[in-house]
Amino acid sequence: PLSDDPRVLEANIAPDPRDIKWENAHINRSWSAGREWTANVALGVGAILWSVPVAAIQAWATADSLASIPGFEWIMSFDGGEFASFVNGYLPVVALLCIILILPIIFEWIAVHYENRKTYSDVEKSILTRYFYYQLANIYITVTAGSIWTSLSDILDHPGNVFAILGKSLPTVVGYFVALLLTKILAGLPLVMLRFGALGRILFLKIFFKTKYLTQSELDEVNKKNVLYYGWEYPTQLLVITICFTYACISPIILPVGAVYFLGALLVYKKQILVVYCPTYESGGTMFPSACHRTLTGLLCGQVTLIGYSILKQGFYQPLFLLPLLVFTVGMMNVYKKLYAEPGRQLSIEKALSLDKHSTAVKSFRKDCYRQPVLAEGPAEPKSSNGFTNGSMLGRSKLFEQNPDDESGGKLV
């Protein structure tokens, strides 16, 4: 050891230099840990109160509310009232999806600017965890119980009936979740494939600006690489699988819809990951254990709901046979954590020596690898006013028309 005092230094595997958020690298770890605890408490309270804005949106997202706005009275009578039924069926779903999309932006700001996390992967992991649990609250509290205070009061008044309370409330809203999955299939996946962000940047500059007046940094911003944000995408898939786990035995009609969604997600994300997304850093698969743990958490929630539904249907032997599933699932979560997740965060000396001995890779390490990029930049050649480097014959217009998916990131090669 480098010191007898374990509080002086803590050694871990060094992250990828590209994974480091240099603006937070100097922040004291104890300071960040304290702020992380404060943020978790505040976000826990926010999850409890999350039903308030969601319930307000659900109350306003109806045809009756829209018809009360001057100029929208026609909604109630259009097409003999069929359009009003369509609005009542899908507008609450769309409104809920829109408000859910705001959450990752809030979580990212907290992780970067309040908690001062030091790596991009750590920021994404925090977003994944918090986003997932907010979506669980959305399923099991806000939507199913209508108000968290109602469900909490019922559980506190009758603690032994927690399974029955969940079993009674969840089956009544399966139609809502079917509509939610259909909206994700017909609108969510096409939006992921169309990449409106990259398309909008190019169209905006082509319509409102002239290429010859743009700086190199502005052109690089247009043609920047597309990045897969794990903290945004993982919880979306985990939400769908949790819904399928919850209703698989209660309302099996949701299973074909879930299968169609995952088939579409496989086609869309396979294409995006292989062709479009370019990783900006490597984190050694740090997101995979978190995703597996949250998947089993969703399975656990589905098992609790099934037990509650069996109790509600006055079953006696069924809940007794289902209870061991909870114990088995929790036990396997601990086993996976002990055998795979924790050992995966480190490498034994024996294994490291073996890998170095049999490795054919060229061993090299730059002395400025872990210096801030701004301090490790080499000599730069200034560019002339028309955007050419000395001796370059490539025009800016050709640069601007490069494919946004090009791995060169829109830079001169």
Side-chain angles (χ1 to χ4, degrees), residues 189-382:
L189 293 178
L191 288 176
V192 172
M193 179 170 285
L194 289 175
R195 295 187 295 125
F196 275 107
L199 179 63
R201 289 195 303 269
I202 293 178
L203 291 180
F204 181 77
L205 289 186
K206 282 193 177 245
I207 294 174
F208 296 101
F209 296 91
K210 290 185 178 180
T211 306
K212 62 181 181 179
Y213 295 133
L214 297 177
T215 64
Q216 182 63 46
S217 61
E218 290 172 338
L219 291 175
D220 291 342
E221 180 66 21
V222 175
N223 295 319
K224 66 181 181 180
K225 299 178 181 180
N226 288 267
V227 180
L228 176 61
Y229 295 102
Y230 299 97
W232 296 59
E233 300 297 344
Y234 261 132
T236 301
Q237 317 308 320
L238 294 173
L239 171 65
V240 177
I241 199 170
T242 301
I243 293 174
C244 293
F245 282 153
T246 302
Y247 290 99
C249 297
I250 299 175
S251 300
I253 188 62
I254 205 167
L255 292 179
V257 183
V260 172
Y261 172 82
F262 281 113
L263 175 61
L266 173 63
L267 299 177
V268 170
Y269 284 100
K270 180 180 179 181
K271 179 261 181 185
Q272 299 292 89
I273 292 174
L274 292 177
V275 180
V276 177
Y277 295 134
C278 298
T280 56
Y281 63 87
E282 296 292 341
S283 60
T286 186
M287 301 293 173
F288 185 72
S290 297
C292 292
H293 182 80
R294 270 70 193 179
T295 301
L296 293 177
T297 301
L299 177 61
L300 195 64
C301 294
Q303 292 170 352
V304 170
T305 304
L306 180 59
I307 292 174
Y309 189 69
S310 301
I311 295 175
L312 185 67
K313 293 299 182 180
Q314 299 181 352
F316 177 75
Y317 296 104
Q318 293 86 347
L320 292 179
F321 281 104
L322 291 173
L323 278 175
L325 288 179
L326 299 177
V327 179
F328 178 76
T329 303
V330 173
M332 292 308 300
M333 292 171 67
N334 294 328
V335 169
Y336 292 151
K337 181 179 180 181
K338 182 178 180 180
L339 294 183
Y340 301 105
E342 293 180 352
R345 297 193 186 101
Q346 51 194 346
L347 192 65
S348 64
I349 296 179
E350 180 182 4
K351 187 65 175 178
L353 291 174
S354 176
L355 290 175
D356 289 341
K357 181 179 180 180
H358 299 92
S359 175
T360 58
V362 178
K363 301 179 180 61
S364 62
F365 186 81
R366 294 185 292 109
K367 63 180 181 180
D368 58 353
C369 186
Y370 282 94
R371 296 182 67 189
Q372 295 187 42
V374 69
L375 301 178
E377 287 288 345
E381 183 179 358

Side-chain angles (χ1 to χ4, degrees), residues 112-130:
V112 174
H113 299 287
Y114 180 75
E115 297 176 333
N116 302 121
R117 294 180 182 262
K118 300 179 185 295
T119 60
Y120 291 98
S121 58
D122 192 24
V123 171
E124 293 292 331
K125 189 175 180 180
S126 70
I127 297 174
L128 188 158
T129 302
R130 291 162 176 171

